[in-house]
């Protein structure tokens, strides 16, 4: 038989050590649970409308007076709407839904709403407004924190950026954004708006950032890319190969979706 003798002082240290370990593990579990519960389970839809020539103003009017309010009525969350700075007759907007099934139900009920049908028919008396629609269903990333009604500050300028990664590099790119990029952006006057991956894609990152105004965009980007901390993080991240194959940048101007004197949709059709 083996007999172990533990002195009183050692016994007390043993219990203290184990109590500390227990508390540490418990806190870790609690924090992990909280972190997991804060991850947004919503889905987001990025929609781009390509208008017939000269019809963007009419489309904006329809959105302002009817569409946006009806979206809310049918359970769609308005995140933001923008016009394209470089392309004429383009409207871009983002909606949020609890899940895919809720999205399907919302679009169905919206399209069947008599108020919408009346507004839609009235808006195209002089010809249809939209010739093509692109839709991208997206999941928000864990380092993103999207808020609704981004157009409240209509003086800001926005950039919609799409990154196409090299094969199997999306995880590394997200790691760089999570640990470095999104933390450095505010330092250089770049506001984090939202970060998403399109469903069914394994090499795309889509995000939106904001700037104080259009003039500050180039200064902010220049300041960011020359930041020694960013250069170090980028250099470290590409030690095993380049992460990004192509970047598409689109500069946007927010639409004024709500007006104080806007009438109810039933009365303004």
């Amino acid at each position: 038989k083996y007999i172990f003798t533990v002195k009183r002082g050692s016994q007390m240290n043993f219990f203290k050590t184990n109590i500390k370990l227990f508390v540490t593990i418990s806190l870790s579990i609690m924090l992990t649970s909280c972190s997991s519960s804060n991850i947004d389970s919503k889905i987001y839809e990025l929609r781009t409308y390509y208008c017939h020539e000269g019809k963007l103003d009419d489309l904006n009017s329809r959105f302002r007076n009817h569409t946006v309010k009806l979206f809310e009525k049918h359970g769609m969350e308005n995140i933001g709407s923008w016009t394209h700075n470089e392309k004429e007759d383009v409207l871009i907007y983002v909606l949020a839904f609890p899940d895919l099934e809720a999205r399907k139900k919302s679009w169905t009920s919206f399209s069947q709403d008599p108020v919408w049908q009346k507004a839609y028919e009235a808006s195209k008396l002089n010809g249809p407004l939209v010739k093509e629609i692109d839709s991208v269903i997206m999941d928000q990333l864990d380092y993103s924190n999207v808020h609704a009604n981004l157009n409240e500050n209509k003086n800001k300028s926005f950039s919609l950026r799409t990154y196409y990664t090299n094969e199997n590099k999306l995880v590394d790119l997200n790691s760089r954004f999570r640990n470095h990029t999104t933390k450095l952006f505010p330092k250089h006057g770049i506001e984090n708006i939202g970060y998403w991956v399109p469903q069914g894609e394994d090499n795309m990152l889509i995000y939106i950032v904001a700037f104080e105004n259009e003039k500050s965009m180039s200064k902010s980007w220049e300041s960011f890319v020359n930041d020694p901390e960013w250069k170090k993080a980028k250099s470290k991240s590409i030690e095993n190969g380049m992460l990004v194959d192509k970047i598409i940048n689109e500069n946007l101007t927010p639409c004024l979706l709500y007006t104080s004197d806007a009438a109810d949709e039933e009365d303004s059709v």
Side-chain angles (χ1 to χ4, degrees):
K1 294 182 180 179
Y2 296 92
I3 301 174
F4 295 95
T5 303
V6 181
K7 294 181 180 180
R8 181 177 297 274
S10 299
Q11 191 175 28
M12 290 299 293
N13 289 334
F14 172 81
F15 285 121
K16 286 180 180 180
T17 301
N18 280 275
I19 289 172
K20 288 179 180 179
L21 181 61
F22 174 77
V23 171
T24 301
I25 293 173
S26 298
L27 285 173
S28 178
I29 292 172
M30 290 172 62
L31 289 172
T32 301
S33 175
C34 291
S35 176
S36 298
S37 65
N38 287 332
I39 295 176
D40 192 351
S41 61
K42 296 176 184 176
I43 64 159
Y44 293 78
E45 184 171 7
L46 171 67
R47 293 173 68 87
T48 304
Y49 284 24
Y50 299 92
C51 299
H52 290 282
E53 186 177 355
K55 293 294 186 179
L56 180 59
D57 287 344
D58 292 336
L59 181 63
N60 275 326
S61 178
R62 190 172 76 191
F63 263 74
R64 182 180 303 111
N65 298 322
H66 312 288
T67 310
V68 169
K69 294 176 183 178
L70 287 169
F71 278 169
E72 293 178 345
K73 175 182 175 183
H74 294 281
M76 306 182 192
E77 185 178 0
N78 293 294
I79 301 301
S81 295
W82 303 268
T83 53
H84 204 291
N85 289 9
E86 288 83 32
K87 299 177 183 177
E88 294 184 359
D89 299 319
V90 173
L91 174 69
I92 297 172
Y93 67 97
V94 176
L95 298 172
F97 305 86
D99 52 44
L100 283 173
E101 184 61 27
R103 173 187 175 273
K104 181 180 179 180
K105 290 180 179 179
S106 290
W107 277 116
T108 299
S109 62
F110 169 80
S111 64
Q112 294 174 352
D113 191 315
V115 176
W116 161 247
Q117 292 174 349
K118 185 177 180 180
Y120 175 74
E121 292 299 325
S123 70
K124 63 188 187 76
L125 287 175
N126 296 317
L129 308 186
V130 180
K131 61 182 178 181
E132 183 182 348
I133 299 175
D134 286 342
S135 172
V136 181
I137 308 300
M138 310 180 296
D139 293 316
Q140 184 174 204
L141 289 158
D142 60 351
Y143 54 86
S144 178
N145 186 22
V146 174
H147 298 286
N149 297 325
L150 295 175
N151 301 124
E152 289 179 351
N153 189 340
K154 64 180 185 297
N155 296 317
K156 286 191 175 182
S157 292
F158 293 76
S159 286
L160 168 65
R161 293 170 66 84
T162 304
Y163 284 31
Y164 294 88
T165 69
N166 290 310
E167 188 175 2
N168 298 323
K169 292 297 185 181
L170 182 58
V171 171
D172 292 336
L173 181 63
N174 277 324
S175 178
R176 191 171 76 190
F177 266 83
R178 181 185 300 107
N179 298 322
H180 306 286
T181 310
T182 55
K183 296 176 181 179
L184 288 170
F185 272 173
K187 174 182 175 182
H188 300 281
I190 304 173
E191 181 182 352
N192 296 302
I193 300 300
Y195 294 81
W196 304 272
V197 288
Q199 292 189 357
E201 299 287 347
D202 58 6
N203 71 328
M204 287 179 65
L205 168 68
I206 296 174
Y207 70 94
I208 298 175
V209 289
F211 306 82
E212 278 303 311
N213 51 59
E214 191 172 1
K215 291 182 178 179
S216 68
M217 280 186 180
S218 58
K219 291 182 179 179
S220 290
W221 284 123
E222 183 179 0
S223 175
F224 169 75
V225 298
N226 288 314
D227 187 317
E229 190 175 347
W230 159 245
K231 289 182 177 180
K232 182 179 179 181
K234 181 181 179 181
S235 179
K236 180 71 175 176
S237 71
I238 60 174
E239 286 179 346
N240 295 317
M242 296 295 293
L243 307 187
V244 180
D245 177 53
K246 181 173 65 173
I247 298 174
I248 297 176
N249 181 80
E250 301 175 272
N251 293 330
L252 311 174
T253 298
C255 302
L256 181 59
L257 293 182
Y258 300 98
T259 56
S260 59
D261 58 348
D264 292 336
E265 63 267 15
E266 291 86 353
D267 299 329
S268 58
V269 172

